[in-house]
Amino acid sequence: MGYKAKFRVWRGESGEGRLEDFTVEVNEGEVVLDIIHRLQATQAPDLAVRWNCKAGKCGSCSMEINGKPRLGCMTRMSTFTEDETITVTPLRTFPVIKDLVCDVSFNYEKAREIPSFTPPADVKPGEYRMQQVDVQRSQEFRKCIECFLCQNVCHVIRDHEENKPAFAGPRFFIRIAELDMHPYDVRDRRPQAAQEEHGLGYCNITKCCTEVCPEHIKITDNAIIPMKERAVDRKYDPLVWLGSKIFKR
Ligand code: SF4
Ligand code: F3S
Ligand code: FES
């Protein structure tokens, strides 16, 4: 059965804006993105929202729904009561371009700072042979849809703009972990570098990133914590330190 829902949606651009109230029809089985589209079709034709697949796979429709970072296309209206006011705002950590659309280029800049997959020079494409166990280890990280919800929720940059230059963020910690686990990647990706060059040291394991990941990637437990442990081992274990010096020569 359909009903009328109360929506409050952020409208504005160039740093200026306000929440605008709407009453809008909701039908059975709909998701928040459906309602945003209905607002565009009926009451706010210039309402800006980014979306693409409507299937939780492109990572475009990231927004904050009642203050929680979520995908609009995967948030069912049935998770709210009919008399609840649903507040939809853009991701807070990135600059707003217009309404619900943010400039997420911070993330692409961070992506460029991570050296790409570097196979051995003498192995040609098509000749890579990997054990299934090695494929499985990093498969979880390759599920990332780059929705940047984890980047948005992490307090290291959400509350501290000044940390942005030094902090790659959880999405890129899993990228580093994935490459580090790849048996054909020959680049030196010591966790110490992640700690010092990509800002892993700023992370204090609040796990907010893991909580919001729509792909249920265990960002903190399977990527961040193991890298932190190895970085610490290396720094404080004199044998590991000595070994690294000897083998580097
Ligand atoms: Fe989104 Fe999860 Fe990838 Fe972060 S790790 S960008 S939350 S899919
Ligand atoms: Fe941020 Fe995730 Fe660490 S939310 S503080 S990167 S555990
Ligand atoms: Fe693609 Fe929501 S529209 S993830």
Side-chain angles (χ1 to χ4, degrees):
M1 279 287 286
Y3 67 97
K4 300 263 188 207
K6 291 189 282 300
F7 260 65
R8 307 196 84 190
V9 183
W10 178 261
R11 306 294 314 272
E13 53 192 308
S14 319
E16 307 268 314
R18 71 204 177 288
L19 286 166
E20 208 170 297
D21 288 306
F22 298 95
T23 302
V24 55
E25 186 189 327
V26 176
N27 300 311
E28 203 174 334
E30 286 184 329
V31 294
V32 168
L33 186 62
D34 289 318
I35 310 308
I36 300 290
H37 285 161
R38 181 158 302 121
L39 287 175
Q40 280 182 326
T42 58
Q43 304 180 48
D46 63 337
L47 171 58
V49 62
R50 192 182 273 133
W51 70 286
N52 200 326
C53 69
K54 208 172 166 277
K57 286 294 159 218
C58 74
S60 310
C61 66
S62 299
M63 52 184 75
E64 299 200 2
I65 302 171
N66 288 352
K68 294 207 175 98
R70 315 199 51 163
L71 296 179
C73 74
M74 297 305 282
T75 306
R76 292 191 171 278
M77 286 302 295
S78 57
T79 54
F80 309 103
T81 58
E82 292 188 8
D83 56 358
E84 200 172 343
T85 300
I86 296 157
T87 304
V88 186
T89 48
L91 300 180
R92 201 180 91 191
T93 302
F94 310 115
V96 175
I97 297 174
K98 184 173 173 356
D99 303 334
L100 302 176
V101 176
C102 288
D103 175 359
V104 292
S105 51
F106 164 82
N107 301 290
Y108 300 113
E109 284 158 25
K110 294 295 160 183
R112 276 194 290 273
E113 287 171 13
I114 297 170
S116 57
F117 171 64
T118 313
D122 55 347
V123 183
K124 296 189 194 65
E127 289 180 353
Y128 303 167
R129 296 289 178 269
M130 283 172 72
Q131 298 289 326
Q132 187 60 25
V133 66
D134 288 326
V135 175
Q136 276 162 350
R137 276 180 82 207
S138 60
Q139 197 149 18
E140 174 188 17
F141 303 139
R142 288 197 297 276
K143 288 193 305 182
C144 175
I145 58 169
E146 299 216 304
C147 64
F148 305 130
L149 291 179
C150 58
Q151 302 283 96
N152 172 61
V153 80
C154 178
H155 71 99
V156 173
I157 47 175
R158 186 175 174 93
D159 300 329
H160 300 279
E161 185 70 26
E162 70 279 10
N163 288 340
K164 279 186 177 173
F167 188 70
R171 189 277 168 263
F172 299 103
F173 297 147
I174 65 171
R175 175 72 179 144
I176 295 168
E178 179 199 331
L179 290 167
D180 189 32
M181 287 174 187
H182 199 298
Y184 276 96
D185 185 81
V186 292
R187 196 176 273 268
D188 180 3
R189 297 191 195 270
R190 276 172 295 183
Q192 198 61 41
Q195 188 86 347
E196 285 160 14
E197 288 161 30
H198 301 289
L200 184 68
Y202 285 74
C203 161
N204 55 353
I205 319 187
T206 56
K207 298 198 180 185
C208 309
C209 51
T210 304
E211 274 169 37
V212 299
C213 178
E215 287 293 318
H216 308 292
I217 300 169
K218 294 201 170 60
I219 304 169
T220 327
D221 288 353
N222 292 351
I224 292 177
I225 293 176
M227 281 201 293
K228 274 180 173 286
E229 282 172 352
R230 287 170 52 217
V232 169
D233 282 354
R234 244 189 141 82
K235 199 163 180 180
Y236 296 112
D237 184 328
L239 278 181
V240 175
W241 179 84
L242 189 64
S244 74
K245 294 285 162 196
I246 292 168
F247 290 116
K248 246 180 145 179
R249 282 191 301 186

